[in-house]
Amino acid sequence: MHYTPSTIPAEAVDALRPAFDYCDDQYVEDWIAMCKEDKAQLWRKGDYWLISMVVQTKRGLAIDLKFSAGVYEPELVDEANDWAKSIGCVRSYFSGRPGCARRRPDYRIRCVTAEKEL
């Protein structure tokens, strides 16, 4: 289900909070606000929640699957990608923990982010 900005449920914040536990510079409240401002998209299927954002890349429009939490539902990723294609996106990508890539074998690794404590 793709929520429109006016239909975003209050429980989205708590449902998506675990997705932000691994991110030091992003906050769930800010991203829900962006969804309410129609700058990002909120999706849900069962207990799986997803936030996406359409971005202009050097190779055309793309959907960036920004954050997800809950019990993984590949059909929701397909739904988001189908919607993105319908509005002219030519690519879909995501950044995430290593386990995310195993869940989405039809994606290829293009870059890696590493961190080090200073």
Side-chain angles (χ1 to χ4, degrees), residues 15-84:
L16 279 155
R17 194 171 304 283
F20 291 80
D21 288 346
Y22 298 96
C23 190
D24 290 335
D25 64 347
Q26 301 291 315
Y27 302 92
V28 64
E29 294 85 0
D30 295 341
W31 279 92
I32 294 297
M34 289 174 61
C35 292
K36 289 180 178 179
E37 295 165 2
D38 207 20
K39 296 177 182 175
Q41 302 79 44
L42 179 65
W43 306 83
R44 179 183 185 187
K45 179 172 177 62
D47 291 328
Y48 184 56
W49 294 78
L50 173 68
I51 293 177
S52 65
M53 175 181 265
V54 175
V55 295
Q56 181 65 53
T57 72
K58 293 176 184 177
R59 296 179 284 176
L61 282 178
I63 185 170
D64 183 355
L65 307 174
K66 298 297 287 184
F67 298 97
S68 63
V71 179
Y72 180 64
E73 292 281 355
E75 297 86 12
L76 187 60
V77 174
D78 293 342
E79 181 183 342
N81 285 337
D82 289 345
W83 171 83

